[in-house]
Amino acid sequence: MQNSLAIYYATMTGNAETLARRAHERALNEGWSARLINLSEVKPADLGAETLALFIVSTWGDGEPPADACDFHYDLEKDSAPALPALRFAILGLGDKDYSDFNAFARKLDERLVSLGAQRLHERIEADLDFDDTYAEWENRVFPLVGDVLKEAASLTR
Ligand SMILES: Cc1cc2nc3c(=O)[nH]c(=O)nc-3n(C[C@H](O)[C@H](O)[C@H](O)COP(=O)(O)O)c2cc1C
């Protein structure tokens, strides 16, 4: 099991990646071990090795994942997707309220991770096009929780 933070993103035009890079930089500044990963490079089985993950994902098309993350999403929805009892996670979704399927990918991902046994570290937060303030709010809420989990994990391995 990984004792570090995985920061996953899925993006089409770079917004989610920019925010994920910001989150990664803050995590490194906190002194944490953290990895920045595009969901296009991830298989659901990889999540089985993770204990702590942040997801920053946008929604495209008609409530679809960004193109690069479609394979990941498709595999995660299969019956063969792994159980994820060790995983704690938080999601920030990026979307646009003018679309009827607002933040649909973030919602589907959130629900699927929970149905596979993962636990929410914090409830999903959904951002509209002006995502900067929402990102700041998400970071301020989620990072202290991540810090607590990492501290707890470090005390158990001492
Ligand atoms: C063609 C198109 C389709 C979109 N579809 C949705 C959608 O179904 N639901 C939603 O909430 N946002 C939708 N959006 C808004 C994007 O999710 C939003 O612009 C987001 O900030 C893009 O982030 P990214 O650059 O990380 O991909 C769409 C945007 C475009 C241009």
Side-chain angles (χ1 to χ4, degrees):
M1 285 283 164
Q2 294 273 4
N3 255 339
S4 77
L5 173 66
I7 302 174
Y8 296 109
Y9 64 90
T11 187
M12 201 79 146
T13 51
N15 295 336
E17 181 175 358
T18 300
L19 298 183
R21 287 189 182 283
R22 214 178 283 172
H24 185 234
E25 205 174 290
R26 163 139 182 209
L28 298 181
N29 284 338
E30 299 278 353
W32 303 340
S33 159
R35 290 155 293 128
L36 181 68
I37 308 160
N38 189 326
L39 272 185
S40 65
E41 294 158 18
V42 177
K43 299 250 173 291
D46 302 336
L47 296 183
E50 301 291 346
T51 54
L52 190 55
L54 303 179
F55 294 85
I56 303 182
V57 301
S58 67
T59 293
W60 280 76
D62 257 337
E64 301 302 321
D68 271 6
C70 281
D71 286 352
F72 168 81
H73 178 56
Y74 180 78
D75 290 342
L76 194 71
E77 292 293 326
K78 286 183 184 165
D79 290 344
S80 57
L84 301 171
L87 181 66
R88 282 187 271 187
F89 71 95
I91 296 182
L92 174 69
L94 301 190
D96 177 346
K97 281 202 169 125
D98 282 346
Y99 286 87
S100 56
D101 279 324
F102 180 58
N103 261 300
F105 176 46
R107 290 177 192 192
K108 288 182 220 170
L109 177 62
D110 189 24
E111 278 158 25
R112 184 59 177 151
L113 291 174
V114 167
S115 82
L116 292 169
Q119 277 178 51
R120 290 185 186 97
L121 197 59
H122 191 280
E123 67 197 16
R124 181 185 70 252
I125 290 187
E126 298 177 350
D128 202 356
L129 286 178
D130 50 349
F131 46 74
D132 271 329
D133 286 353
T134 312
Y135 170 78
E137 181 195 340
W138 178 82
E139 196 190 88
N140 287 337
R141 288 191 192 197
V142 167
F143 270 63
L145 301 173
V146 171
D148 290 346
V149 172
L150 290 173
K151 245 184 257 158
E152 183 191 309
S155 72
L156 290 176
T157 53
R158 231 178 263 140

